[in-house]
């Protein structure tokens, strides 16, 4: 009896610990392919180049199947303990922030703004098509887990559900996705465990404006500015993990930078350090969670 009681307590503790494991925050969005195929797109001027991106707002307002489908996937993920960010609510928040961001000169695409505002660790991009087989229908789907910081795919599931008489696309999709959902979640958790241990991966650009009057080879207190920044990166990245891909007197590009924060916060810390210790003025420009730009301007 005593052994049985100990075993039950151990099982309870293990179950409790398992349920408390932190899981990545996710947000479900329609894929670029699905949006473009259904004519939900928006074009904007990106520093002189015209870019076309999915228009999530138009898609949500125009397609009831999309709303129900996102809701179904959200429910499946919530049942497995994943914290969720709702796309529709995030878009409304972004719209309130747009005027302020434009005033501050923040350079971000509409998608970057959505991802930054939601601050979801992983974006679930969903593509699906409905197949008609006589009176029955089935759904072929592709579900991709995309790291919000790197835009790299970290999990995937694909398949076609069994033919059914159901008329609801969301129900057909739920039945199809369920087959691979556990494996998909395991892939998400494996990636998130790596993030928890080694930090997020981001990219950093250090630029010098033409009006700055200095360059990155300037000698300050016995060291070149480039060396000063390299040393700071050593101290403020996880396990000194970063790759210096390019360096000149006016530009440094760091990739595979591992940090416990996002790129924007990391660059604000560097900005404050340079101002306090070397009287160097600079400006942080944001390009989503995964890319930060520091412009030295004096």
């Amino acid at each position: 009896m005593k052994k049985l009681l100990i075993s039950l307590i151990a099982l309870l503790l293990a179950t409790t610990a398992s349920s408390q494991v932190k899981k990545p925050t996710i947000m479900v969005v329609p894929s670029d392919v699905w949006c473009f195929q259904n004519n939900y797109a928006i074009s904007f001027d990106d520093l002189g180049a015209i870019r076309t991106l999915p228009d999530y707002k138009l898609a949500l307002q125009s397609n009831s199947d999309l709303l129900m489908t996102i809701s179904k996937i959200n429910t499946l993920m919530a049942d497995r303990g994943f914290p969720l960010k709702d796309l529709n609510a995030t878009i409304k928040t972004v719209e309130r922030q747009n005027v302020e961001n434009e005033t501050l000169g923040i350079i971000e695409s509409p998608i970057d703004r959505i991802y930054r505002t939601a601050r979801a660790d992983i974006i679930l991009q969903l593509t699906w098509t409905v197949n008609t087989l006589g009176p029955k229908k089935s759904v072929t789907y592709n579900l991709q887990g995309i790291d919000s910081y790197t835009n790299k795919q970290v999990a995937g599931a694909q398949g076609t559900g069994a033919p059914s008489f159901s008329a609801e696309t969301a129900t057909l999709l739920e039945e199809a996705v369920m087959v691979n959902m556990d494996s998909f979640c395991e892939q998400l958790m494996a990636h998130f465990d790596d993030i928890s241990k080694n930090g997020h991966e981001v990219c950093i650009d250090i630029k010098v404006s033409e009006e700055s009057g200095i360059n990155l080879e300037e000698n300050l207190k016995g060291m070149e500015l480039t060396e000063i920044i390299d040393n700071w990166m050593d101290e403020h990245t996880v396990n000194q993990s970063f790759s210096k891909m390019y360096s000149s007197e006016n530009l440094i590009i760091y990739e595979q930078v591992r940090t416990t924060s996002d790129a924007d916060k990391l660059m604000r810390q560097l900005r404050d350090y340079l101002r306090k210790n070397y009287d160097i003025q600079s400006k942080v420009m944001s390009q989503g969670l995964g890319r930060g730009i520091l412009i030295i301007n004096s």
Side-chain angles (χ1 to χ4, degrees), residues 125-143:
Q125 289 192 358
L126 179 63
T127 307
W128 77 90
T129 55
V130 178
N131 312 306
T132 301
L133 305 170
K136 295 183 178 181
K137 293 182 179 180
S138 67
V139 165
T140 298
Y141 77 95
N142 183 28
L143 186 63

Side-chain angles (χ1 to χ4, degrees), residues 200-243:
H200 291 284
E201 181 182 327
V202 303
C203 297
I204 300 298
D205 294 349
I206 311 293
K207 301 181 179 182
V208 178
S209 69
E210 294 180 357
E211 301 81 14
S212 65
I214 63 174
N215 60 55
L216 293 166
E217 296 176 354
E218 188 92 7
N219 192 290
L220 302 171
K221 299 182 181 180
M223 280 196 299
E224 286 189 358
L225 181 52
T226 294
E227 293 180 85
I228 293 170
I229 296 173
D230 283 345
N231 292 339
W232 187 91
M233 293 288 288
D234 274 336
E235 295 175 3
H236 291 81
T237 53
V238 179
N239 299 324
Q240 299 179 333
S241 297
F242 63 91
S243 298

Side-chain angles (χ1 to χ4, degrees), residues 97-112:
Q97 296 176 342
N98 278 350
V99 174
E100 178 184 352
N101 289 346
E102 289 170 1
T103 301
L104 294 174
I106 295 176
I107 303 174
E108 288 182 299
S109 75
I111 301 299
D112 284 337

Side-chain angles (χ1 to χ4, degrees), residues 1-292:
M1 183 67 180
K2 184 177 180 180
K3 289 184 178 180
L4 177 61
L5 181 60
I6 293 174
S7 297
L8 289 173
I9 292 174
L11 179 61
L12 177 61
L13 290 175
T15 302
T16 302
S18 176
S19 65
Q20 292 175 344
V21 172
K22 185 179 179 181
K23 293 185 177 180
T25 302
I26 65 170
M27 182 168 68
V28 182
V29 304
S31 72
D32 294 7
V33 170
W34 186 90
C35 288
F36 294 151
Q37 286 178 342
N38 290 278
N39 298 317
Y40 303 130
I42 183 172
S43 296
F44 71 102
D45 189 323
D46 183 12
L47 301 178
I50 302 301
R51 293 179 60 192
T52 301
L53 295 173
D55 189 338
Y56 295 151
K57 180 180 179 180
L58 178 61
L60 289 169
Q61 291 176 339
S62 307
N63 194 301
S64 59
D65 278 347
L66 176 61
L67 279 172
M68 291 189 292
T69 296
I70 289 178
S71 179
K72 286 286 187 182
I73 300 297
N74 280 346
T75 299
L76 290 176
M77 300 306 294
D79 288 345
R80 288 159 175 77
F82 286 88
L84 300 169
K85 294 295 180 73
D86 181 67
L87 175 60
N88 202 21
T90 299
I91 290 173
K92 293 177 181 178
T93 301
V94 168
E95 289 178 338
R96 291 195 297 268
Q97 296 176 342
N98 278 350
V99 174
E100 178 184 352
N101 289 346
E102 289 170 1
T103 301
L104 294 174
I106 295 176
I107 303 174
E108 288 182 299
S109 75
I111 301 299
D112 284 337
R113 287 176 180 170
I114 289 172
Y115 290 178
R116 177 181 55 78
T117 303
R119 300 193 67 81
D121 297 297
I122 296 173
I123 304 298
L124 301 190
Q125 289 192 358
L126 179 63
T127 307
W128 77 90
T129 55
V130 178
N131 312 306
T132 301
L133 305 170
K136 295 183 178 181
K137 293 182 179 180
S138 67
V139 165
T140 298
Y141 77 95
N142 183 28
L143 186 63
Q144 298 170 288
I146 308 296
D147 185 295
S148 298
Y149 291 74
T150 64
N151 289 323
K152 296 178 181 177
Q153 180 172 325
V154 298
Q158 310 84 27
T160 300
S164 170
F165 289 105
S166 174
E168 290 190 357
T169 299
T171 300
L172 291 172
L173 185 62
E174 179 184 21
E175 294 172 353
V177 169
M178 280 295 295
V179 177
N180 297 313
M181 183 54 70
D182 290 338
S183 174
F184 181 76
C185 291
E186 289 173 3
Q187 294 174 57
L188 293 180
M189 284 307 302
H191 176 69
F192 193 65
D193 288 344
D194 175 66
I195 291 175
S196 299
K197 181 180 179 180
N198 300 308
H200 291 284
E201 181 182 327
V202 303
C203 297
I204 300 298
D205 294 349
I206 311 293
K207 301 181 179 182
V208 178
S209 69
E210 294 180 357
E211 301 81 14
S212 65
I214 63 174
N215 60 55
L216 293 166
E217 296 176 354
E218 188 92 7
N219 192 290
L220 302 171
K221 299 182 181 180
M223 280 196 299
E224 286 189 358
L225 181 52
T226 294
E227 293 180 85
I228 293 170
I229 296 173
D230 283 345
N231 292 339
W232 187 91
M233 293 288 288
D234 274 336
E235 295 175 3
H236 291 81
T237 53
V238 179
N239 299 324
Q240 299 179 333
S241 297
F242 63 91
S243 298
K244 190 174 182 180
M245 305 304 294
Y246 180 81
S247 179
S248 71
E249 64 178 9
N250 294 313
L251 174 66
I252 304 174
I253 298 175
Y254 297 106
E255 294 184 354
Q256 298 175 318
V257 179
R258 289 287 191 157
T259 173
T260 56
S261 64
D262 58 44
D264 182 74
K265 183 176 180 180
L266 188 67
M267 285 300 90
R268 282 188 275 112
Q269 292 172 345
L270 177 57
R271 176 199 62 192
D272 295 343
Y273 172 80
L274 293 176
R275 182 174 57 210
K276 179 180 178 180
N277 294 279
Y278 298 94
D279 196 28
I280 291 176
Q281 303 301 314
S282 55
K283 180 179 181 180
V284 175
M285 305 294 283
S286 177
Q287 287 191 328
L289 296 173
R291 178 171 290 276

